[in-house]
Amino acid sequence: MGVLDGLQPENVFQYFEELCRIPHGSGNVKQISDHLKKFAEERALFCEQDALGNVVIIREASPEREQEEPYILQAHMDMVAVTAQGSQVDMKKEPLKLRVEGDKIYAEETSLGGDDGIGVAYCLALLDAKDLSLPRLEVILTVDEETGMEGATEIDLSMLRGKRMINLDQEEEGIFITSCAGGIKVDVTIPMEQDTESAGKFVEIKITGLLGGHSGIEIDKGRGNANCLLGQVLRTVGERCRVRLVGMNGGMADNAIPREASAILAVEAADLPVVETVVKEQEEKIREQMTVEEKQVQVVCRQLAEGENSAVMTEESTKKAIACLLELPGGVVAMSKDVEGLVETSLNLGILALEEEGLHLQYAVRSSVDQEKESLCRQMSDIAGKSGAAVSVKNPYPGWAYRKDSPLREKMVQIYEDMYGKPPVLQAIHAGLECGILAGKIPGLDCVSIGPDLFDVHTAQESMSIASVKRVWEYLLAVLT
């Protein structure tokens, strides 16, 4: 018996729970891709699966609707796999532990993957709906959207006939997305030298208790970035005593604002009290600068057993790496001059890790203005270059421009007004969607993005409204039938 049994719409929640039983974090999508292919084959539907794992499924039109233009439905099968602090869940191997509380569905100790598992579930429910009269449905299910939209970039859509697409990767009911920012990944690797001197004492400094969140949606909400805050703490400690970096890790995805980060330092035994004092002072200062929602942040220090870590970096390369980390920009860079309240350009230091090659920093850069995105990447390269760092710019994806003439949008707005007595909100967003990439593959594509209410996506607190899922399903049926 499933956790979601009895919830309506039953078929949508049935497929969502099936997906949640299959690990499907970005980069770990073969099993879910094969599951989707098997779904299509069992129903004798056209299906094409490419080498990356992208899947295209086509349901031919009901006999009475064969003359109608097809609809393209689109969602992505991967999720941002994030665990709660202290959780031992292995999201590469274990299913999600779904729970229902009132109107909310969530996953115990992990992110839920409503982004975009519910979009995929809507598609499967429509493909399997035997009692519905529908036009031809062309369903695009992509891989690794969350890590740079590689699936959408590489997918072949030459078999499609449709020119109107409903993207199902939106997180607020009643808000129709009509354009979005483009983005790019920037990786910075700062070289470091290993010290030959004795290690001294080892201490770990750790930042926890932050909210985190989606780097496209929550980037302007004042949420703390654990990686950047850790850099501030380490710099201050280094100003008071001699420190050498031994280890450093933070964040789980470049497009998720990191909730926690830690560093291991080698220090002189006599400086241990100094480090503890500075850490306490920094905790208070960080709390002062945080929003009310972020006041639970903690900065803690603990001494480690000698020999627990042995590769110690030099004091000079430690200072150089921390200085470079802090000199690189972060967060909101510019707000839109045309749309009030819309972030135009931003970047998020989502992952940092001390590796053999040096200190690795991984950023998600977003902008609705291509020139500004390119300018920010050049600025980052210039700053990193002063520290001798290597910079890699990869996985660019275009923004999705607003289309003034959109028959699909007009139809969907009218149906929404008829159902709810008010118009939907039409909105541009700073987060990235695959619509811009797919529009480059389908000339003349007319597209709108919709979805149910999701909360705290890309965090272990993620949840989804049951009632909203039902309303969006009923609205989607009204559009298609």
Side-chain angles (χ1 to χ4, degrees), residues 11-27:
N11 50 350
V12 174
F13 284 117
Q14 172 194 330
Y15 286 120
F16 181 72
E17 187 159 7
E18 281 186 11
L19 298 172
C20 290
R21 295 190 184 109
I22 304 170
H24 57 282
S26 300

Side-chain angles (χ1 to χ4, degrees), residues 12 70 125 174 192 197 242 310 316 345 370 372 420 431:
V12 174
M192 303 196 73
E197 294 185 29
R242 180 171 181 254
S310 57
E316 181 181 356
T345 305
D370 287 342
E372 295 303 320
Y420 300 109

Side-chain angles (χ1 to χ4, degrees), residues 199-200 202-204 246 264 302-311:
F202 293 109
V203 294
E204 180 188 50
V246 179
I264 297 173
R302 69 183 181 103
Q303 186 175 345
L304 303 177
E306 292 187 34
E308 189 168 328
N309 293 278
S310 57

